[in-house]
Amino acid sequence: MKTKYFFFIIMSLFILSSCNEEDKVLISNKMSVNALLQLEQAKLTIYAMGFDTTSISEWGNYYVVEGDILIYKDSVNPTKIKTRQYRTNFYVNNFREITIGVNNTISRSTNWRDAVKEVVRLYNEYTGLTFVYSENNPNITIYKSNISGTNVCASGTFPPSPGEPGHEIIINSNFYRDIDTYLDLNQKIFLLMHELGHNLGLRHTNGISEGDGGVGLVQIPGTPIVDPNSFMNGGTCSYSWDVISTYDKIALEYLWPCCRISFAGSSRPGIKVPSGYHLSRFVIPTSIEGFCGWYEDAALTIPWKYVNEITSDITLYPKWILGGSITRIEDTSDTSYSTTFTLSRTALVSLQATVGRGFNEWWDISKYTNQTGVALGKSSSIYKMIYLDQYIWNANPESYMEYIDKDPIILDPGTYWLSAFFTPNLGLQYGASGKHGVTTVTLTYY
Ligand SMILES: [Zn+2]
C-alpha cells in the first residue's frame, strides 16, 4: 500500500518546496472553534484517503500525517475542496445491460478471461449497470493488438455517443515484456477495471492537466483533490487490484446509482432499481409452487407492502406453503360480467384462457380488435388486462385457441374480480351461430 502514497508524498514535497518561505510559520497552539471543526472534518477525509489519523498535527498550510507526510490543508478542507474524479461529456446510461468479452486474439492458456469475469463482478457490485460476460459479438471487445509505445499496457476507448460504451479495449501486444505473464491476475484486474472505466466514460483521477481533450473533463461531485488509491489514476499499469477506494466508489455510485433488491435463499437473482422504485407484483421466485409472498424479515412476520418506495438496498424473504391444494376460480364471457373472489392470504395467481367459436370471416376481425380477452382487478384497479386473438384458424367452428399466462402475479389478501369477455358487437353470444364466440378464463393459486 505504501507505494501508492509515493506519488502523493512527492507531490506534497513539491508543493512544500515551491512555497517554502511562507510555510515556515508555525501556527499558534490556540485554535478557534472553527479551526477545531475544520481539523475534525479534515481528519475524516484524510482517514478516508487511507492514512492513520491518530497523531495528526498542523504545520503551516499542511497537516502532518504518519510522521512525515504533508497534506495541503486546502486539499482536504470541505469548503475549499475541488473534486477530482472525472468523466467525459458522454457516459453510459444507467441500468443498461452491457456484454463484454475477449476475442480469439487472447489465448485460452492465459488468465485474461478470469480477470474480465472478476471485473464484470466488481462493476456489477458497484454500479447500477449490468455486465454480462460474452464472447459472442459483445458490446465491448477486449483484444490484443499492437499499440505504439512499448511501455503502454492497454488502452480503452471513450463512449462514442451519449449513453453508449466505448466498444474496444486493446491489450498491447507490443509491450516490452510478455504482457500475458508479466501481469498476474490481480494486476490484470486492476488494468481492466481502469480501461473499462474509460469505456464507460471515466477519465484519469489525476488527469486535470490532460484538459478537455475534445471529450470533456467533468468533475464528479463528492471526490477529493487527490485519491492515491483510485483505480482511475493514470500511469498505474502493473498496480494490483486490492479493494475499491472510497472515492472511486462514490464516483461510480454518483454516475450509476441504484438500490439492490436481494432475494434470500437464492430464490431468484437480485435486481438493481432506481431509488423510489416500487416493486412489481410480477417479481416472483424461480420456483413458484407453494409461494405465497415476499417478507421484509427472515422470520416472515412483515409482509412486503407494494406501496413501499425502495430507497436503499433491501433483502426480501419468500414464504412457502408446502403441500397445499390448488384453488381454481373461473369466469366465462357468456354468463356474467365478472366473478368476484376473496383471498384470505397473499397468493401467487396465474391465468389460463381459451377463446372458442371466434370469427370465421376475415373482414370482421379488424372491426373488433381488443374486444376479446381476460382481465383481473380489485375494485376500479386493473391488475391484468390481456387481449386475445379471436380468430378461428380453420374452418371448424368448434376449434379454439388456448392462452397460458407466463406472468403470474402476487396478490395481497382482499376481494378481486376476474372477467372473461368477447366482443358484444354481434349481439347475444351464447347459443348463436359460429360467428359468436366465447372466452373462458381460469385463475389458479396454491
Ligand atoms: Zn487510463
Side-chain angles (χ1 to χ4, degrees):
M1 285 303 279
K2 279 281 181 194
T3 54
K4 288 192 182 174
Y5 299 145
F6 186 68
F7 159 79
F8 188 71
I9 296 163
I10 294 292
M11 205 183 111
S12 303
L13 290 174
F14 174 75
I15 295 166
L16 175 65
S17 61
S18 62
C19 43
N20 217 6
E21 290 310 307
E22 62 183 85
D23 291 328
K24 275 185 179 166
V25 187
L26 281 170
I27 60 155
S28 144
N29 282 335
K30 270 191 184 172
M31 284 193 285
S32 68
V33 176
N34 249 356
L36 277 171
L37 236 170
Q38 225 169 62
L39 176 61
E40 285 312 306
Q41 281 172 331
K43 270 187 184 174
L44 290 175
T45 310
I46 293 167
Y47 180 76
M49 289 159 89
F51 294 104
D52 180 5
T53 54
T54 44
S55 61
I56 197 165
S57 61
E58 293 189 276
W59 186 72
N61 291 332
Y62 302 92
Y63 293 115
V64 185
V65 180
E66 291 183 5
D68 60 352
I69 299 165
L70 299 175
I71 295 176
Y72 195 52
K73 276 184 182 172
D74 283 358
S75 73
V76 290
N77 180 341
T79 58
K80 293 180 181 170
I81 219 156
K82 281 195 226 146
T83 55
R84 258 294 176 89
Q85 256 84 346
Y86 296 105
R87 65 168 174 86
T88 55
N89 291 331
F90 301 153
Y91 62 103
V92 172
N93 289 344
N94 202 4
F95 299 109
R96 242 199 92 147
E97 182 178 303
I98 298 168
T99 51
I100 179 169
V102 303
N103 73 7
N104 59 14
T105 59
I106 308 281
S107 161
R108 291 214 166 260
S109 63
T110 67
N111 54 5
W112 284 105
R113 283 171 180 79
D114 298 329
V116 182
K117 285 171 189 169
E118 178 60 8
V119 166
V120 161
R121 192 189 70 75
L122 287 163
Y123 272 99
N124 279 340
E125 187 173 339
Y126 294 113
T127 70
L129 302 166
T130 299
F131 288 89
V132 176
Y133 185 84
S134 167
E135 294 183 17
N136 180 24
N137 195 20
N139 300 128
I140 302 173
T141 303
I142 301 167
Y143 64 96
K144 246 187 177 177
S145 182
N146 193 328
I147 306 176
S148 60
T150 53
N151 59 343
V152 177
C153 283
S155 162
T157 44
F158 287 129
S161 56
E164 187 64 20
H167 295 142
E168 304 180 334
I169 292 174
I170 307 162
I171 306 210
N172 192 3
S173 58
N174 189 35
F175 192 63
Y176 82 106
R177 301 274 288 272
D178 173 12
I179 197 161
D180 292 345
T181 53
Y182 178 71
L183 299 178
D184 68 19
L185 182 62
N186 280 329
Q187 290 169 315
K188 288 186 177 86
I189 291 168
F190 191 103
L191 179 69
L192 291 173
M193 284 296 288
H194 179 101
E195 302 309 338
L196 181 54
H198 287 319
N199 286 46
L200 301 179
L202 291 174
R203 293 203 55 184
H204 288 150
T205 302
N206 56 359
I208 193 165
S209 59
E210 294 168 3
D212 177 87
V215 292
L217 186 71
V218 184
Q219 301 173 338
I220 297 171
T223 57
I225 193 159
V226 169
D227 182 4
N229 293 327
S230 173
F231 68 79
M232 287 314 295
N233 282 323
T236 47
C237 180
S238 85
Y239 276 43
S240 235
W241 181 258
D242 182 7
V243 289
I244 191 163
S245 90
T246 306
Y247 294 109
D248 281 344
K249 208 172 157 216
I250 287 171
L252 294 181
E253 276 169 6
Y254 181 83
L255 291 176
W256 301 287
C258 74
C259 301
R260 293 163 184 82
I261 308 175
S262 311
F263 300 93
S266 66
S267 45
R268 62 156 291 151
I271 50 176
K272 294 189 244 188
V273 298
S275 182
Y277 179 87
H278 290 94
L279 185 69
S280 157
R281 290 179 180 275
F282 296 99
V283 172
I284 59 171
T286 39
S287 161
I288 59 171
E289 195 172 321
F291 173 74
C292 56
W294 298 111
Y295 281 72
E296 286 185 38
D297 58 332
L300 305 178
T301 59
I302 311 164
W304 176 254
K305 293 174 204 66
Y306 285 87
V307 294
N308 288 354
E309 275 192 0
I310 294 164
T311 54
S312 61
D313 294 355
I314 58 162
T315 300
L316 295 178
Y317 301 83
K319 184 174 176 178
W320 311 90
I321 291 182
L322 297 172
S325 57
I326 297 176
T327 304
R328 289 189 169 77
I329 314 284
E330 206 177 275
D331 190 65
T332 54
S333 62
D334 57 3
T335 51
S336 58
Y337 293 112
S338 62
T339 301
T340 56
F341 62 100
T342 300
L343 291 174
S344 57
R345 58 164 173 80
T346 303
L348 179 67
V349 308
S350 57
L351 304 181
Q352 219 171 328
T354 57
V355 183
R357 290 179 283 129
F359 298 128
N360 55 7
E361 288 166 22
W362 291 101
W363 50 87
D364 277 341
I365 291 167
S366 60
K367 282 195 268 182
Y368 307 116
T369 308
N370 289 354
Q371 293 189 27
T372 295
V374 299
L376 167 67
K378 187 180 190 182
S379 57
S380 60
S381 307
I382 297 172
Y383 286 1
K384 261 181 187 258
M385 171 73 85
I386 302 158
Y387 294 112
L388 302 173
D389 215 332
Q390 64 265 62
Y391 304 170
I392 280 189
W393 290 103
N394 58 49
N396 177 7
E398 296 303 315
S399 69
Y400 64 91
M401 61 84 64
E402 192 170 27
Y403 166 81
I404 295 172
D405 190 2
K406 299 271 193 318
D407 277 317
I409 182 172
I410 300 168
L411 298 181
D412 298 323
T415 299
Y416 297 87
W417 51 260
L418 177 68
S419 177
F421 51 96
F422 191 89
T423 178
N425 289 292
L426 296 176
L428 285 173
Q429 297 172 5
Y430 189 62
S433 69
K435 278 185 182 178
H436 303 84
V438 60
T439 309
T440 314
V441 61
T442 307
L443 174 152
T444 56
Y445 62 91
Y446 277 91

